[in-house]
Amino acid sequence: MTMATHADHSPSPARPRERDRDPDRDRRSGPEGAESPESPEVSEAHESPGAPEDRSTSDPATPKDAPDAVPLARTRTGAGLLAGGLLTGVIVLALVSAAYGAYDIPVTDVIASVQHRAGLGGHPLDRVGESVLWNVRLPRVVLALLVGASLGCAGALMQGVFGNPLAEPGIIGISSGAAVGAVASIALGLSFLGNWTITACAFVAGLVTVLLVYAMSRSGGRTEVVTLILTGIAVNAFAGALIGLFIFFADNAQITQITFWQLGSLSQATWPKVLAVLPCALLGLAVAPLYARKLDLLALGERPARHLGIDVERLRIVLVLVVALFTAAAVAVAGIITFVGLLVPHLLRMAHGPGHRFLVPGSALGGALMLVAGDLAARTVAEPAELPLGVLTALFGSPFFFWLLLRTRRRQGGWA
C-alpha cells in the first residue's frame, strides 16, 4: 500500500523524444493520441529510426495523401485498359467482319487494299474482291460502327437523364416512334428533303416520342421504374398500330421497305446511307461527353445538382435532343434494333463503375463492338440466309433485361 501510494504521487517521467516514442503506446493513449490528426501510418513514418523530423512538410507526396491517390490512379489505369481493350476489339472485329462472309477475303488482303486506297502502300485486290470489299462489306461495317456507337451512347445518356438503369430508347418506345416517322415517309411517298427525308421524319417522330415518355413517366419529381416500362409498352403498342395502318395503305414495294424497318437490318447498307447518318452520329458523339460531369452530379439527385449549379431541366432537354438525334439516325438507316443501349452501359457499369466520364464514350465503343459482332453473326450463322439483326439483338437482350428486372426488384424489396 505504501509503495502504491508513493507511485501515485510521484512526478511523471519526462516525455520521450518524438522519434523514441512507442507507436503502440501512442495508438493506445487516449487524449494524446486523439490530439494528433495523423493516421498510424503517418506516425510510424515520423517515428522510424533515421527519418528526418520535418518529412511531412518537405515531401509533397506525403503518406497521408496516398490512400486517395492510389485508388484514383487505379481507376484511371482500369479505365484506360478497358477503353484500349474495347478499341482493339472494335478494330479487330471490323477487319474480321470485312473479310468473312459469302465471299471470303483474307484479312491481310483487306488491310492491303485499305492501305492502297489510302496511298500508304499495299496492293489492290482482283476485280471481284475489290467490288465486294468496297461496295458491300466496308459500307456495312462502317454503318454497323456508327449505328452501334449511336445506340450505345444513347442508352448511357437515357439512363443518366432518367436516373434509371432500365431506360433505353427501344424499351421505352423511342425507336418505335422514330420508326413511325420513317415508315410514314415511305408509305406517303415523301421526298421533300431528298435523301434526308426519312432521317428528318424519324428525328421529329423520335423527339415527340421521347418528350411524351419523359412527361408521362415522371411523378413527384422522379421517374418511376414501373411507370417508365408501362409507358414504353403503351408507346410501342401505339406505334405498332400506326405502322400496321401505314402497311394497310402501302403498295407491295413500300411494304418490303417497311418490313425492313420493323426487323432491323444492315443488308441495304450503302455509302450514301453512311453519309446520311454520319453527321448525326458524329455530332451526337462530340456533344455527349461534354455533359459527363453534369450527369455525375445529376446522379446525386435533382436538388443537390441544383445546389451545385446544374440547370437540371436545361440539361435534360439538351440530352433528350441528343438521344433523339442518335435514335433517329440509327432507325433511319438500320430500322428498329433494341437492347444495345441497355446491355452495353450495364456491362460497362459492372466492369468499371457508374462514372459517366468513361461510361458515355465507353458505351459508344461497346455499342459499336456489339453491333459489328451481331451483324457478323447475322450474316454467317445461317448461311446462305441472313438473320435480321434486330431479331438477333432482341434474342440476346430480352433474357438480360428479364434478369435485370429481377435483380432490381430484389434490391428494392419490391416494385414500390
Side-chain angles (χ1 to χ4, degrees):
M1 294 296 293
T2 305
M3 294 177 62
T5 305
H6 178 71
D8 292 339
H9 293 282
S10 62
S12 59
R15 186 175 181 179
R17 289 181 302 168
E18 182 67 19
R19 68 178 62 185
D20 296 330
R21 292 171 61 188
D22 181 13
D24 293 332
R25 193 193 70 178
D26 289 343
R27 285 193 288 268
R28 293 192 300 268
S29 62
E32 291 184 4
E35 288 174 1
S36 176
E38 296 176 343
S39 62
E41 290 81 358
V42 179
S43 299
E44 291 173 6
H46 281 270
E47 294 153 11
S48 59
E53 294 286 339
D54 56 346
R55 179 179 176 181
S56 61
T57 57
S58 62
D59 187 5
T62 60
K64 184 177 179 180
D65 297 330
D68 294 332
V70 173
L72 181 60
R74 288 178 180 174
T75 300
R76 291 177 177 175
T77 302
L81 291 176
L82 189 55
L86 288 173
L87 183 59
T88 303
V90 167
I91 295 174
V92 171
L93 204 57
L95 291 174
V96 173
S97 181
Y100 294 102
Y103 183 87
D104 291 339
I105 303 173
V107 176
T108 54
D109 288 348
V110 173
I111 298 174
S113 180
V114 173
Q115 288 178 334
H116 177 73
R117 291 290 183 103
L120 301 175
H123 59 82
L125 307 180
D126 58 83
R127 184 176 61 85
V128 177
E130 284 283 302
S131 177
V132 170
L133 179 62
W134 289 95
N135 296 329
V136 179
R137 296 277 174 78
L138 286 182
R140 187 161 183 163
V141 171
V142 175
L143 198 62
L145 293 173
L146 293 175
V147 172
S150 299
L151 293 177
C153 191
L157 294 179
M158 283 291 297
Q159 293 171 12
V161 168
F162 281 93
N164 194 307
L166 298 177
E168 196 264 345
I171 292 176
I172 62 176
I174 300 178
S175 297
S176 298
V180 169
V183 169
S185 66
I186 294 173
L188 299 177
L190 302 180
S191 59
F192 54 91
L193 291 178
N195 292 334
W196 294 88
T197 303
I198 296 177
T199 304
C201 292
F203 174 76
V204 173
L207 178 60
V208 172
T209 304
V210 74
L211 292 176
L212 179 64
V213 170
Y214 175 75
M216 294 180 63
S217 60
R218 287 184 62 82
S219 176
R222 62 193 183 97
T223 306
E224 298 286 346
V225 177
V226 178
T227 307
L228 183 69
I229 297 175
L230 292 178
T231 303
I233 292 173
V235 170
N236 279 318
F238 185 71
L242 289 179
I243 291 175
L245 187 63
F246 285 122
I247 290 177
F248 179 78
F249 290 105
D251 56 29
N252 291 333
Q254 293 171 341
I255 289 174
T256 302
Q257 288 183 285
I258 292 173
T259 304
F260 159 76
W261 298 111
Q262 289 180 299
L263 297 178
S265 176
L266 296 173
S267 59
Q268 300 180 13
T270 59
W271 287 118
K273 289 190 175 183
V274 171
L275 295 177
V277 72
L278 185 63
C280 299
L282 292 183
L283 178 61
L285 292 174
V287 171
L290 301 178
Y291 292 89
R293 180 177 174 274
K294 294 183 178 181
L295 285 174
D296 287 337
L297 297 178
L298 184 61
L300 301 175
E302 291 189 16
R303 182 174 297 177
R306 288 192 180 96
H307 287 314
L308 292 172
I310 303 298
D311 189 343
V312 176
E313 294 305 319
R314 180 180 178 183
L315 174 65
R316 281 189 169 136
I317 290 174
V318 171
L319 293 183
V320 160
L321 290 175
V322 174
V323 169
L325 183 67
F326 274 137
T327 307
V331 170
V333 297
I336 303 175
I337 299 177
T338 57
F339 292 103
V340 175
L342 178 69
L343 268 68
V344 173
H346 265 286
L347 294 176
L348 293 180
R349 198 177 285 112
M350 292 176 183
H352 184 264
H356 288 86
R357 291 186 178 182
F358 170 78
L359 187 62
V360 172
S363 295
L365 286 175
L369 180 65
M370 178 179 176
L371 211 65
V372 171
D375 184 59
L376 178 61
R379 290 190 290 109
T380 57
V381 167
E383 242 180 349
E386 181 175 325
L387 296 174
L389 183 57
V391 174
L392 197 62
T393 58
L395 285 175
F396 286 95
S398 298
F400 181 84
F401 179 63
F402 181 69
W403 170 80
L404 188 60
L405 284 176
L406 295 179
R407 181 170 174 262
T408 303
R409 182 173 63 178
R410 285 196 304 267
R411 289 191 171 187
Q412 293 183 352
W415 293 116

